[in-house]
């Protein structure tokens, strides 16, 4: 079906290490993907996006990788910091309409 | 300051009593959207609007109405709220749903229907 999901509900990472958050999508018609960060008590905040004609996109300390062959999306956070603690959502937009579909989220926990 | 505002932030009401949650943005965005967030289900899109007088159903529109009479405002209306509409609601706006048009989210409205 048209859904976006995540492999792990909770990810614990040592401060300073790199974090990798994964996301699987099922609709091959999706051609735009977004990662959001949601801190406790706040609304989601845009992190980075990628179109389906790209495999990789980099931002400040973040990289999104898209593997269309296996319908997999990942968010890499370099040198994870305490401020990175949050729930991370991937979302997709399907080419034929204007809906945005969110995954269920992964909680990133930073270990001191 | 660019922002999306929602009111009220918290609301406790009873079944069947009509309510409206307001949403306003000051960025002249064309695209506005309402989501509900429930534990274990993530964010689900209720309705969205591509522009004034243009609204479309998202994935969970049942029990909700919206209107877009002005570009900046996108109220969410619950004509007859039920307990299963107890949730955390977010309004969002952007220049479009795709391709580098990042969505800005409001602070959320926590609704409890008893």
């Amino acid at each position: 079906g048209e859904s976006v999901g995540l492999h792990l509900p909770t990810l614990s990472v040592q401060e300073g290490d790199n974090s990798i958050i994964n996301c699987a999508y099922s609709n091959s018609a999706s051609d735009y993907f977004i990662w959001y960060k949601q801190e406790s008590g706040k609304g989601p905040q845009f992190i980075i996006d990628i179109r389906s004609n790209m495999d990789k996109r980099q931002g400040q300390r973040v990289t999104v990788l898209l593997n269309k062959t296996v319908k997999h999306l990942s968010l890499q956070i370099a040198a994870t910091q305490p401020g990175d603690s949050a729930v991370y959502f991937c979302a997709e937009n399907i080419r034929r309409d204007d809906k945005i579909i969110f995954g269920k989220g992964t909680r990133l926990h930073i270990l001191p | 300051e660019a922002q999306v505002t929602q009111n009220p932030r918290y609301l406790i009401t009873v079944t069947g009593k009509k309510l409206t949650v307001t949403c306003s943005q000051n960025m002249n965005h064309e695209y506005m959207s309402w989501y509900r967030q429930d534990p274990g289900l993530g964010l689900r899109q209720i309705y969205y609007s591509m522009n004034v007088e243009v609204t479309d159903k998202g994935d969970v529109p049942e029990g909700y109405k919206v209107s877009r009479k002005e570009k900046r405002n996108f109220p969410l209306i619950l004509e007859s709220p039920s307990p299963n509409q107890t949730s955390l609601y977010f309004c969002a706006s952007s220049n479009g749903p795709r391709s580098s048009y990042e969505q800005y989210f409001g602070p959320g409205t926590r609704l409890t229907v008893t």
Side-chain angles (χ1 to χ4, degrees), chain B residues 61-79:
Chain B
E62 295 78 21
Y64 304 95
K65 285 174 56 178
V66 292
S67 69
R68 189 87 182 275
K69 293 183 170 58
E70 305 166 282
K71 200 171 188 179
R72 64 181 293 126
N73 296 323
F74 190 46
L76 179 69
I77 303 154
L78 284 72
E79 294 273 3

Side-chain angles (χ1 to χ4, degrees), chain A residues 31-32 34 36 38 41-46 49 51 57 89 93-95 97-104, chain B residues 9 31 35 37 40-43 45 48 50 57-59 90 97-103 105-107:
Chain A
D31 66 344
Y32 176 58
I34 319 116
Y36 288 91
Q38 186 177 24
K42 297 183 179 179
Q45 180 182 11
F46 173 93
D49 59 357
R51 305 184 197 192
R57 191 165 187 219
F89 294 94
N93 175 246
I94 299 170
R95 189 182 299 125
D97 65 37
D98 299 310
K99 292 180 185 178
I100 297 176
I101 298 174
F102 277 74
K104 293 180 174 52
Chain B
R9 295 288 313 280
Y31 185 84
Y35 298 86
Q37 185 173 28
L41 296 176
L43 286 101
Q45 196 171 35
Y48 60 95
M50 288 296 292
K57 296 177 181 179
D59 286 326
F90 288 102
R98 49 193 285 120
S99 300
S100 300
Y101 294 144
E102 56 178 278
Q103 282 196 101
F105 281 78

Side-chain angles (χ1 to χ4, degrees), chain A residues 11-40:
Chain A
L11 177 66
S12 295
V13 175
Q14 203 76 37
E15 182 178 346
D17 287 352
N18 296 336
S19 301
I20 300 176
I21 301 171
N22 296 306
C23 177
Y25 65 96
S26 59
N27 197 315
S28 57
S30 296
D31 66 344
Y32 176 58
F33 304 88
I34 319 116
W35 280 101
Y36 288 91
K37 172 185 181 182
Q38 186 177 24
E39 296 174 285
S40 180

Side-chain angles (χ1 to χ4, degrees), chain B residues 6 10 26 60 64 95 100 102-103 113:
Chain B
Q6 295 177 226
Y10 302 90
N26 63 358
V60 288
Y64 304 95
N95 279 321
S100 300
E102 56 178 278
Q103 282 196 101
V113 183

